[in-house]
mmCIF file of all heavy atoms in Angstrom:
data_model
loop_
_atom_site.group_PDB
_atom_site.id
_atom_site.type_symbol
_atom_site.label_atom_id
_atom_site.label_comp_id
_atom_site.label_asym_id
_atom_site.label_seq_id
_atom_site.Cartn_x
_atom_site.Cartn_y
_atom_site.Cartn_z
ATOM 1 N N LYS A 360 58.863 -27.995 -74.464
ATOM 2 C CA LYS A 360 58.347 -27.981 -75.831
ATOM 3 C C LYS A 360 57.147 -27.050 -75.936
ATOM 4 O O LYS A 360 56.248 -27.077 -75.098
ATOM 5 C CB LYS A 360 57.928 -29.397 -76.249
ATOM 6 C CG LYS A 360 59.081 -30.357 -76.484
ATOM 7 C CD LYS A 360 58.559 -31.684 -76.996
ATOM 8 C CE LYS A 360 59.677 -32.654 -77.292
ATOM 9 N NZ LYS A 360 59.153 -33.949 -77.778
ATOM 10 N N ARG A 361 57.139 -26.197 -76.959
ATOM 11 C CA ARG A 361 56.041 -25.277 -77.230
ATOM 12 C C ARG A 361 55.496 -25.572 -78.620
ATOM 13 O O ARG A 361 56.252 -25.686 -79.579
ATOM 14 C CB ARG A 361 56.503 -23.821 -77.166
ATOM 15 C CG ARG A 361 56.949 -23.362 -75.805
ATOM 16 C CD ARG A 361 57.532 -21.964 -75.871
ATOM 17 N NE ARG A 361 56.559 -21.002 -76.345
ATOM 18 C CZ ARG A 361 55.739 -20.305 -75.557
ATOM 19 N NH1 ARG A 361 55.772 -20.504 -74.244
ATOM 20 N NH2 ARG A 361 54.901 -19.426 -76.058
ATOM 21 N N LEU A 362 54.178 -25.680 -78.719
ATOM 22 C CA LEU A 362 53.559 -25.968 -80.009
ATOM 23 C C LEU A 362 52.363 -25.059 -80.204
ATOM 24 O O LEU A 362 51.473 -24.995 -79.350
ATOM 25 C CB LEU A 362 53.121 -27.436 -80.063
ATOM 26 C CG LEU A 362 52.571 -27.931 -81.400
ATOM 27 C CD1 LEU A 362 53.666 -27.884 -82.471
ATOM 28 C CD2 LEU A 362 52.045 -29.359 -81.267
ATOM 29 N N ASN A 363 52.346 -24.327 -81.325
ATOM 30 C CA ASN A 363 51.229 -23.452 -81.650
ATOM 31 C C ASN A 363 50.129 -24.276 -82.317
ATOM 32 O O ASN A 363 50.313 -24.791 -83.429
ATOM 33 C CB ASN A 363 51.697 -22.335 -82.580
ATOM 34 C CG ASN A 363 50.601 -21.305 -82.850
ATOM 35 O OD1 ASN A 363 49.487 -21.407 -82.331
ATOM 36 N ND2 ASN A 363 50.928 -20.313 -83.653
ATOM 37 N N ILE A 364 48.979 -24.418 -81.646
ATOM 38 C CA ILE A 364 47.882 -25.238 -82.181
ATOM 39 C C ILE A 364 46.735 -24.375 -82.692
ATOM 40 O O ILE A 364 45.630 -24.874 -82.909
ATOM 41 C CB ILE A 364 47.364 -26.224 -81.112
ATOM 42 C CG1 ILE A 364 46.825 -25.461 -79.885
ATOM 43 C CG2 ILE A 364 48.447 -27.210 -80.704
ATOM 44 C CD1 ILE A 364 46.078 -26.340 -78.903
ATOM 45 N N ARG A 365 46.990 -23.084 -82.897
ATOM 46 C CA ARG A 365 45.934 -22.151 -83.313
ATOM 47 C C ARG A 365 45.178 -22.640 -84.539
ATOM 48 O O ARG A 365 43.950 -22.582 -84.587
ATOM 49 C CB ARG A 365 46.556 -20.769 -83.584
ATOM 50 C CG ARG A 365 45.601 -19.725 -84.154
ATOM 51 C CD ARG A 365 44.532 -19.376 -83.128
ATOM 52 N NE ARG A 365 43.667 -18.315 -83.591
ATOM 53 C CZ ARG A 365 42.655 -18.456 -84.449
ATOM 54 N NH1 ARG A 365 42.390 -19.655 -84.949
ATOM 55 N NH2 ARG A 365 41.909 -17.427 -84.792
ATOM 56 N N ASN A 366 45.883 -23.146 -85.543
ATOM 57 C CA ASN A 366 45.243 -23.569 -86.788
ATOM 58 C C ASN A 366 44.606 -24.952 -86.707
ATOM 59 O O ASN A 366 43.991 -25.407 -87.682
ATOM 60 C CB ASN A 366 46.264 -23.532 -87.932
ATOM 61 C CG ASN A 366 46.718 -22.117 -88.249
ATOM 62 O OD1 ASN A 366 45.956 -21.166 -88.108
ATOM 63 N ND2 ASN A 366 47.966 -21.972 -88.662
ATOM 64 N N LEU A 367 44.758 -25.629 -85.559
ATOM 65 C CA LEU A 367 44.143 -26.956 -85.385
ATOM 66 C C LEU A 367 42.792 -26.868 -84.689
ATOM 67 O O LEU A 367 42.054 -27.860 -84.637
ATOM 68 C CB LEU A 367 45.068 -27.860 -84.566
ATOM 69 C CG LEU A 367 46.498 -28.051 -85.064
ATOM 70 C CD1 LEU A 367 47.235 -29.023 -84.148
ATOM 71 C CD2 LEU A 367 46.533 -28.531 -86.496
ATOM 72 N N ILE A 368 42.452 -25.688 -84.156
ATOM 73 C CA ILE A 368 41.240 -25.531 -83.352
ATOM 74 C C ILE A 368 40.032 -25.339 -84.254
ATOM 75 O O ILE A 368 39.994 -24.448 -85.100
ATOM 76 C CB ILE A 368 41.376 -24.335 -82.392
ATOM 77 C CG1 ILE A 368 42.536 -24.559 -81.423
ATOM 78 C CG2 ILE A 368 40.081 -24.118 -81.620
ATOM 79 C CD1 ILE A 368 42.862 -23.342 -80.582
ATOM 80 N N THR A 369 39.009 -26.188 -84.059
ATOM 81 C CA THR A 369 37.768 -26.057 -84.827
ATOM 82 C C THR A 369 36.589 -25.607 -83.969
ATOM 83 O O THR A 369 35.555 -25.200 -84.495
ATOM 84 C CB THR A 369 37.409 -27.389 -85.502
ATOM 85 O OG1 THR A 369 37.347 -28.425 -84.508
ATOM 86 C CG2 THR A 369 38.457 -27.764 -86.539
ATOM 87 N N GLU A 370 36.746 -25.676 -82.650
ATOM 88 C CA GLU A 370 35.709 -25.174 -81.738
ATOM 89 C C GLU A 370 36.389 -24.731 -80.449
ATOM 90 O O GLU A 370 37.342 -25.360 -80.000
ATOM 91 C CB GLU A 370 34.669 -26.254 -81.431
ATOM 92 C CG GLU A 370 33.545 -25.782 -80.540
ATOM 93 C CD GLU A 370 32.527 -26.869 -80.273
ATOM 94 O OE1 GLU A 370 32.280 -27.707 -81.166
ATOM 95 O OE2 GLU A 370 31.970 -26.889 -79.154
ATOM 96 N N PHE A 371 35.872 -23.643 -79.868
ATOM 97 C CA PHE A 371 36.558 -23.037 -78.728
ATOM 98 C C PHE A 371 35.523 -22.466 -77.767
ATOM 99 O O PHE A 371 34.632 -21.720 -78.177
ATOM 100 C CB PHE A 371 37.481 -21.930 -79.240
ATOM 101 C CG PHE A 371 38.339 -21.290 -78.200
ATOM 102 C CD1 PHE A 371 39.585 -21.803 -77.895
ATOM 103 C CD2 PHE A 371 37.901 -20.171 -77.512
ATOM 104 C CE1 PHE A 371 40.384 -21.204 -76.936
ATOM 105 C CE2 PHE A 371 38.689 -19.570 -76.557
ATOM 106 C CZ PHE A 371 39.939 -20.090 -76.271
ATOM 107 N N ASN A 372 35.625 -22.799 -76.474
ATOM 108 C CA ASN A 372 34.669 -22.321 -75.469
ATOM 109 C C ASN A 372 35.391 -21.949 -74.183
ATOM 110 O O ASN A 372 36.321 -22.641 -73.758
ATOM 111 C CB ASN A 372 33.629 -23.400 -75.140
ATOM 112 C CG ASN A 372 32.854 -23.856 -76.359
ATOM 113 O OD1 ASN A 372 32.001 -23.145 -76.866
ATOM 114 N ND2 ASN A 372 33.164 -25.061 -76.832
ATOM 115 N N ILE A 373 34.952 -20.847 -73.555
ATOM 116 C CA ILE A 373 35.397 -20.470 -72.216
ATOM 117 C C ILE A 373 34.159 -20.357 -71.339
ATOM 118 O O ILE A 373 33.155 -19.759 -71.734
ATOM 119 C CB ILE A 373 36.177 -19.141 -72.215
ATOM 120 C CG1 ILE A 373 37.504 -19.302 -72.939
ATOM 121 C CG2 ILE A 373 36.441 -18.667 -70.789
ATOM 122 C CD1 ILE A 373 38.333 -18.041 -72.999
ATOM 123 N N TYR A 374 34.231 -20.924 -70.127
ATOM 124 C CA TYR A 374 33.087 -20.948 -69.221
ATOM 125 C C TYR A 374 33.370 -20.104 -67.986
ATOM 126 O O TYR A 374 34.343 -20.326 -67.267
ATOM 127 C CB TYR A 374 32.773 -22.393 -68.808
ATOM 128 C CG TYR A 374 32.542 -23.302 -69.989
ATOM 129 C CD1 TYR A 374 33.503 -24.257 -70.348
ATOM 130 C CD2 TYR A 374 31.387 -23.192 -70.758
ATOM 131 C CE1 TYR A 374 33.304 -25.078 -71.442
ATOM 132 C CE2 TYR A 374 31.183 -24.018 -71.856
ATOM 133 C CZ TYR A 374 32.138 -24.967 -72.191
ATOM 134 O OH TYR A 374 31.947 -25.776 -73.278
ATOM 135 N N GLU A 375 32.513 -19.119 -67.774
ATOM 136 C CA GLU A 375 32.598 -18.221 -66.626
ATOM 137 C C GLU A 375 31.217 -18.205 -65.989
ATOM 138 O O GLU A 375 30.269 -17.671 -66.562
ATOM 139 C CB GLU A 375 33.015 -16.825 -67.096
ATOM 140 C CG GLU A 375 33.127 -15.782 -66.007
ATOM 141 C CD GLU A 375 33.489 -14.419 -66.575
ATOM 142 O OE1 GLU A 375 34.585 -14.291 -67.153
ATOM 143 O OE2 GLU A 375 32.660 -13.491 -66.434
ATOM 144 N N LYS A 376 31.087 -18.806 -64.789
ATOM 145 C CA LYS A 376 29.770 -19.015 -64.195
ATOM 146 C C LYS A 376 29.734 -18.550 -62.746
ATOM 147 O O LYS A 376 30.698 -18.729 -62.005
ATOM 148 C CB LYS A 376 29.397 -20.501 -64.265
ATOM 149 C CG LYS A 376 29.352 -21.078 -65.674
ATOM 150 C CD LYS A 376 29.023 -22.549 -65.672
ATOM 151 C CE LYS A 376 30.179 -23.379 -65.108
ATOM 152 N NZ LYS A 376 29.920 -24.836 -65.197
ATOM 153 N N LEU A 377 28.595 -17.981 -62.350
ATOM 154 C CA LEU A 377 28.436 -17.571 -60.955
ATOM 155 C C LEU A 377 28.387 -18.772 -60.023
ATOM 156 O O LEU A 377 28.737 -18.659 -58.851
ATOM 157 C CB LEU A 377 27.159 -16.739 -60.793
ATOM 158 C CG LEU A 377 27.200 -15.320 -61.369
ATOM 159 C CD1 LEU A 377 25.843 -14.641 -61.185
ATOM 160 C CD2 LEU A 377 28.285 -14.483 -60.710
ATOM 161 N N ASN A 378 27.942 -19.920 -60.519
ATOM 162 C CA ASN A 378 27.886 -21.121 -59.676
ATOM 163 C C ASN A 378 29.054 -22.067 -59.956
ATOM 164 O O ASN A 378 29.030 -23.228 -59.581
ATOM 165 C CB ASN A 378 26.562 -21.855 -59.892
ATOM 166 C CG ASN A 378 26.376 -22.314 -61.330
ATOM 167 O OD1 ASN A 378 27.114 -21.910 -62.225
ATOM 168 N ND2 ASN A 378 25.381 -23.155 -61.568
ATOM 169 N N GLY A 379 30.094 -21.530 -60.626
ATOM 170 C CA GLY A 379 31.304 -22.309 -60.868
ATOM 171 C C GLY A 379 32.484 -21.605 -60.231
ATOM 172 O O GLY A 379 32.624 -20.388 -60.330
ATOM 173 N N ASP A 380 33.338 -22.335 -59.553
ATOM 174 C CA ASP A 380 34.407 -21.706 -58.784
ATOM 175 C C ASP A 380 35.535 -21.156 -59.651
ATOM 176 O O ASP A 380 36.147 -20.142 -59.310
ATOM 177 C CB ASP A 380 34.981 -22.735 -57.796
ATOM 178 C CG ASP A 380 33.923 -23.256 -56.842
ATOM 179 O OD1 ASP A 380 33.265 -22.434 -56.191
ATOM 180 O OD2 ASP A 380 33.758 -24.482 -56.757
ATOM 181 N N PHE A 381 35.827 -21.833 -60.766
ATOM 182 C CA PHE A 381 37.019 -21.487 -61.542
ATOM 183 C C PHE A 381 36.680 -21.280 -63.016
ATOM 184 O O PHE A 381 35.743 -21.881 -63.545
ATOM 185 C CB PHE A 381 38.070 -22.594 -61.425
ATOM 186 C CG PHE A 381 38.415 -22.944 -60.008
ATOM 187 C CD1 PHE A 381 37.957 -24.121 -59.430
ATOM 188 C CD2 PHE A 381 39.187 -22.078 -59.240
ATOM 189 C CE1 PHE A 381 38.265 -24.443 -58.116
ATOM 190 C CE2 PHE A 381 39.500 -22.389 -57.928
ATOM 191 C CZ PHE A 381 39.031 -23.567 -57.356
ATOM 192 N N LEU A 382 37.487 -20.449 -63.678
ATOM 193 C CA LEU A 382 37.408 -20.357 -65.126
ATOM 194 C C LEU A 382 37.823 -21.684 -65.737
ATOM 195 O O LEU A 382 38.767 -22.326 -65.280
ATOM 196 C CB LEU A 382 38.352 -19.261 -65.643
ATOM 197 C CG LEU A 382 37.885 -17.814 -65.584
ATOM 198 C CD1 LEU A 382 39.003 -16.890 -66.077
ATOM 199 C CD2 LEU A 382 36.635 -17.605 -66.408
ATOM 200 N N SER A 383 37.110 -22.084 -66.775
ATOM 201 C CA SER A 383 37.461 -23.316 -67.468
ATOM 202 C C SER A 383 37.091 -23.159 -68.936
ATOM 203 O O SER A 383 36.510 -22.161 -69.350
ATOM 204 C CB SER A 383 36.731 -24.521 -66.853
ATOM 205 O OG SER A 383 35.327 -24.368 -66.994
ATOM 206 N N GLY A 384 37.445 -24.140 -69.714
ATOM 207 C CA GLY A 384 37.118 -24.086 -71.126
ATOM 208 C C GLY A 384 37.448 -25.386 -71.817
ATOM 209 O O GLY A 384 37.936 -26.338 -71.204
ATOM 210 N N ASP A 385 37.172 -25.421 -73.095
ATOM 211 C CA ASP A 385 37.536 -26.583 -73.901
ATOM 212 C C ASP A 385 37.735 -26.157 -75.343
ATOM 213 O O ASP A 385 37.272 -25.100 -75.763
ATOM 214 C CB ASP A 385 36.485 -27.696 -73.789
ATOM 215 C CG ASP A 385 35.087 -27.237 -74.173
ATOM 216 O OD1 ASP A 385 34.904 -26.747 -75.300
ATOM 217 O OD2 ASP A 385 34.174 -27.373 -73.350
ATOM 218 N N MET A 386 38.458 -26.954 -76.067
ATOM 219 C CA MET A 386 38.667 -26.715 -77.496
ATOM 220 C C MET A 386 38.681 -28.044 -78.222
ATOM 221 O O MET A 386 39.191 -29.048 -77.709
ATOM 222 C CB MET A 386 39.965 -25.938 -77.750
ATOM 223 C CG MET A 386 41.214 -26.544 -77.182
ATOM 224 S SD MET A 386 42.700 -25.529 -77.443
ATOM 225 C CE MET A 386 42.389 -24.174 -76.295
ATOM 226 N N VAL A 387 38.066 -28.053 -79.388
ATOM 227 C CA VAL A 387 38.068 -29.245 -80.233
ATOM 228 C C VAL A 387 39.219 -29.111 -81.222
ATOM 229 O O VAL A 387 39.347 -28.096 -81.920
ATOM 230 C CB VAL A 387 36.732 -29.403 -80.972
ATOM 231 C CG1 VAL A 387 36.794 -30.587 -81.935
ATOM 232 C CG2 VAL A 387 35.592 -29.597 -79.972
ATOM 233 N N ILE A 388 40.072 -30.136 -81.264
ATOM 234 C CA ILE A 388 41.274 -30.138 -82.083
ATOM 235 C C ILE A 388 41.111 -31.133 -83.225
ATOM 236 O O ILE A 388 40.742 -32.287 -83.004
ATOM 237 C CB ILE A 388 42.513 -30.533 -81.253
ATOM 238 C CG1 ILE A 388 42.648 -29.634 -80.012
ATOM 239 C CG2 ILE A 388 43.764 -30.488 -82.111
ATOM 240 C CD1 ILE A 388 42.892 -28.203 -80.299
#
């Protein structure tokens, strides 16, 4: 199942840190 949630997103963040091992992020739906 594929669902486009682009229009449901009200906040969006991507975290890229020198003291963080992996890319991560969050979105408020």
Side-chain angles (χ1 to χ4, degrees):
K360 289 185 178 179
R361 295 174 61 91
L362 186 65
N363 186 1
I364 61 170
R365 174 66 176 79
N366 294 328
L367 305 182
I368 299 172
T369 55
E370 182 179 326
F371 185 89
N372 302 286
I373 292 179
Y374 304 107
E375 179 182 297
K376 301 178 290 185
L377 288 178
N378 61 348
D380 301 306
F381 306 106
L382 279 177
S383 62
D385 56 57
M386 55 183 72
V387 175
I388 306 296

